[in-house]
Amino acid sequence: MDLFSRAWTALRAAVAELPDRDFEQPSGCNGWLVRDLVCHLVIDAQDVLITLVTPADREPTRDAVTYWNVTKHPPTGDDPLDALIVRLAAAYEEPRLLTFHLDDVGSAAGRAAELADPGARVSTRDEVLTVGDYLTAYVLEWTLHHLDLIAHLPDAKEPPRECLARSREMLESIAGGAFPASFSDTDVLLIGTGRRVPTDAERAELGETAAPLPFVLG
């Protein structure tokens, strides 16, 4: 839960520090500008709030790793929900309105996570997880989207190193094996989730690990 707070605080701080012009830059999410990604983060924060107040009395059906639905096809931006995000983001008109909403809802989600019992069970997407596993899954969500946020913004702050390392561990569990030790945590996350195509040298080093790439998380 501590890593959840670190990842979420760092991501929100990175958004808060962006100049207005950066909201019109492309993000690391195909088809989305930075402003679209920030709008998605507002909805993510709402999902966290909703899930944390949706108790379950069944045994957990997922954990922090199996929470994810994995496919091999990166989003194109054409999905109806993705298109809705773009329209919602445009409706804010001014970046300050969007950042205010993220700070408002995001702060509430952060406080709710800090107050939650990690052993309690919650329901989301018709599955049951402990609060601890649910929030741990979101360390990966926040870290990947932090990388998406700064994909074309070289001056923006990177995710915390401990969050990158934990996210790598989870992705390697999803992949069923370790990536080469020579790969940085950031490169593992970008290549492993299809955000970046490996170079020929990286693909050679990946060997058989490259065959099932990418692991697109949804």
mmCIF file of all heavy atoms in Angstrom, residues 10-20 22-23 99 155-157:
data_model
loop_
_atom_site.group_PDB
_atom_site.id
_atom_site.type_symbol
_atom_site.label_atom_id
_atom_site.label_comp_id
_atom_site.label_asym_id
_atom_site.label_seq_id
_atom_site.Cartn_x
_atom_site.Cartn_y
_atom_site.Cartn_z
ATOM 1 N N ALA A 10 3.485 10.485 -7.039
ATOM 2 C CA ALA A 10 4.462 10.900 -8.048
ATOM 3 C C ALA A 10 3.785 11.205 -9.379
ATOM 4 O O ALA A 10 4.139 12.174 -10.058
ATOM 5 C CB ALA A 10 5.520 9.813 -8.227
ATOM 6 N N LEU A 11 2.816 10.392 -9.762
ATOM 7 C CA LEU A 11 2.127 10.605 -11.027
ATOM 8 C C LEU A 11 1.323 11.899 -10.997
ATOM 9 O O LEU A 11 1.363 12.704 -11.936
ATOM 10 C CB LEU A 11 1.217 9.407 -11.323
ATOM 11 C CG LEU A 11 0.358 9.465 -12.584
ATOM 12 C CD1 LEU A 11 1.180 9.824 -13.811
ATOM 13 C CD2 LEU A 11 -0.369 8.134 -12.790
ATOM 14 N N ARG A 12 0.603 12.131 -9.910
ATOM 15 C CA ARG A 12 -0.188 13.359 -9.802
ATOM 16 C C ARG A 12 0.713 14.589 -9.751
ATOM 17 O O ARG A 12 0.400 15.632 -10.328
ATOM 18 C CB ARG A 12 -1.085 13.290 -8.575
ATOM 19 C CG ARG A 12 -2.260 12.336 -8.774
ATOM 20 C CD ARG A 12 -2.910 11.908 -7.471
ATOM 21 N NE ARG A 12 -3.085 13.016 -6.545
ATOM 22 C CZ ARG A 12 -2.842 12.919 -5.236
ATOM 23 N NH1 ARG A 12 -2.414 11.764 -4.725
ATOM 24 N NH2 ARG A 12 -3.055 13.949 -4.453
ATOM 25 N N ALA A 13 1.855 14.470 -9.086
ATOM 26 C CA ALA A 13 2.797 15.589 -9.036
ATOM 27 C C ALA A 13 3.362 15.893 -10.425
ATOM 28 O O ALA A 13 3.529 17.058 -10.799
ATOM 29 C CB ALA A 13 3.933 15.272 -8.065
ATOM 30 N N ALA A 14 3.635 14.838 -11.196
ATOM 31 C CA ALA A 14 4.153 15.035 -12.551
ATOM 32 C C ALA A 14 3.134 15.765 -13.418
ATOM 33 O O ALA A 14 3.489 16.653 -14.214
ATOM 34 C CB ALA A 14 4.522 13.685 -13.173
ATOM 35 N N VAL A 15 1.864 15.413 -13.272
ATOM 36 C CA VAL A 15 0.809 16.104 -14.018
ATOM 37 C C VAL A 15 0.715 17.565 -13.581
ATOM 38 O O VAL A 15 0.622 18.474 -14.411
ATOM 39 C CB VAL A 15 -0.553 15.407 -13.819
ATOM 40 C CG1 VAL A 15 -1.682 16.242 -14.433
ATOM 41 C CG2 VAL A 15 -0.541 14.014 -14.442
ATOM 42 N N ALA A 16 0.761 17.801 -12.278
ATOM 43 C CA ALA A 16 0.611 19.158 -11.747
ATOM 44 C C ALA A 16 1.718 20.088 -12.229
ATOM 45 O O ALA A 16 1.510 21.307 -12.338
ATOM 46 C CB ALA A 16 0.579 19.111 -10.224
ATOM 47 N N GLU A 17 2.886 19.540 -12.515
ATOM 48 C CA GLU A 17 4.030 20.356 -12.919
ATOM 49 C C GLU A 17 4.087 20.627 -14.424
ATOM 50 O O GLU A 17 4.940 21.393 -14.880
ATOM 51 C CB GLU A 17 5.328 19.670 -12.476
ATOM 52 C CG GLU A 17 5.487 19.613 -10.956
ATOM 53 C CD GLU A 17 6.654 18.752 -10.525
ATOM 54 O OE1 GLU A 17 7.361 18.237 -11.408
ATOM 55 O OE2 GLU A 17 6.844 18.575 -9.309
ATOM 56 N N LEU A 18 3.181 20.034 -15.193
ATOM 57 C CA LEU A 18 3.225 20.217 -16.640
ATOM 58 C C LEU A 18 2.781 21.618 -17.037
ATOM 59 O O LEU A 18 1.748 22.107 -16.571
ATOM 60 C CB LEU A 18 2.305 19.201 -17.329
ATOM 61 C CG LEU A 18 2.656 17.720 -17.222
ATOM 62 C CD1 LEU A 18 1.603 16.883 -17.941
ATOM 63 C CD2 LEU A 18 4.035 17.439 -17.800
ATOM 64 N N PRO A 19 3.513 22.273 -17.930
ATOM 65 C CA PRO A 19 3.008 23.521 -18.505
ATOM 66 C C PRO A 19 1.839 23.223 -19.436
ATOM 67 O O PRO A 19 1.712 22.109 -19.960
ATOM 68 C CB PRO A 19 4.210 24.072 -19.276
ATOM 69 C CG PRO A 19 5.067 22.883 -19.559
ATOM 70 C CD PRO A 19 4.855 21.923 -18.428
ATOM 71 N N ASP A 20 0.984 24.215 -19.641
ATOM 72 C CA ASP A 20 -0.219 23.999 -20.445
ATOM 73 C C ASP A 20 0.088 23.413 -21.825
ATOM 74 O O ASP A 20 -0.655 22.565 -22.322
ATOM 75 C CB ASP A 20 -0.982 25.314 -20.618
ATOM 76 C CG ASP A 20 -1.702 25.740 -19.341
ATOM 77 O OD1 ASP A 20 -1.610 25.009 -18.335
ATOM 78 O OD2 ASP A 20 -2.352 26.802 -19.363
ATOM 79 N N ASP A 22 2.155 21.279 -22.775
ATOM 80 C CA ASP A 22 2.444 19.843 -22.791
ATOM 81 C C ASP A 22 1.189 18.992 -22.863
ATOM 82 O O ASP A 22 1.263 17.811 -23.225
ATOM 83 C CB ASP A 22 3.262 19.444 -21.562
ATOM 84 C CG ASP A 22 4.727 19.862 -21.674
ATOM 85 O OD1 ASP A 22 5.132 20.279 -22.778
ATOM 86 O OD2 ASP A 22 5.446 19.767 -20.663
ATOM 87 N N PHE A 23 0.037 19.552 -22.535
ATOM 88 C CA PHE A 23 -1.204 18.780 -22.591
ATOM 89 C C PHE A 23 -1.595 18.459 -24.036
ATOM 90 O O PHE A 23 -2.406 17.570 -24.267
ATOM 91 C CB PHE A 23 -2.335 19.530 -21.884
ATOM 92 C CG PHE A 23 -2.254 19.441 -20.382
ATOM 93 C CD1 PHE A 23 -1.354 20.211 -19.671
ATOM 94 C CD2 PHE A 23 -3.062 18.559 -19.680
ATOM 95 C CE1 PHE A 23 -1.259 20.126 -18.294
ATOM 96 C CE2 PHE A 23 -2.978 18.458 -18.302
ATOM 97 C CZ PHE A 23 -2.073 19.248 -17.606
ATOM 98 N N THR A 99 -6.574 19.476 -14.452
ATOM 99 C CA THR A 99 -5.670 19.182 -13.343
ATOM 100 C C THR A 99 -6.371 19.377 -11.998
ATOM 101 O O THR A 99 -6.086 18.652 -11.042
ATOM 102 C CB THR A 99 -4.409 20.057 -13.411
ATOM 103 O OG1 THR A 99 -4.773 21.443 -13.473
ATOM 104 C CG2 THR A 99 -3.585 19.709 -14.640
ATOM 105 N N ASP A 155 11.682 16.488 -20.074
ATOM 106 C CA ASP A 155 11.993 17.219 -18.847
ATOM 107 C C ASP A 155 11.116 16.806 -17.663
ATOM 108 O O ASP A 155 11.326 17.280 -16.540
ATOM 109 C CB ASP A 155 11.839 18.729 -19.078
ATOM 110 C CG ASP A 155 12.837 19.252 -20.100
ATOM 111 O OD1 ASP A 155 13.946 18.692 -20.184
ATOM 112 O OD2 ASP A 155 12.501 20.209 -20.823
ATOM 113 N N ALA A 156 10.132 15.948 -17.904
ATOM 114 C CA ALA A 156 9.219 15.547 -16.829
ATOM 115 C C ALA A 156 9.886 14.505 -15.928
ATOM 116 O O ALA A 156 10.771 13.757 -16.348
ATOM 117 C CB ALA A 156 7.928 14.992 -17.417
ATOM 118 N N LYS A 157 9.454 14.469 -14.674
ATOM 119 C CA LYS A 157 10.030 13.534 -13.711
ATOM 120 C C LYS A 157 9.589 12.109 -13.986
ATOM 121 O O LYS A 157 8.442 11.858 -14.362
ATOM 122 C CB LYS A 157 9.620 13.939 -12.290
ATOM 123 C CG LYS A 157 10.252 15.244 -11.831
ATOM 124 C CD LYS A 157 9.845 15.573 -10.409
ATOM 125 C CE LYS A 157 10.479 16.874 -9.936
ATOM 126 N NZ LYS A 157 10.036 17.232 -8.559
#
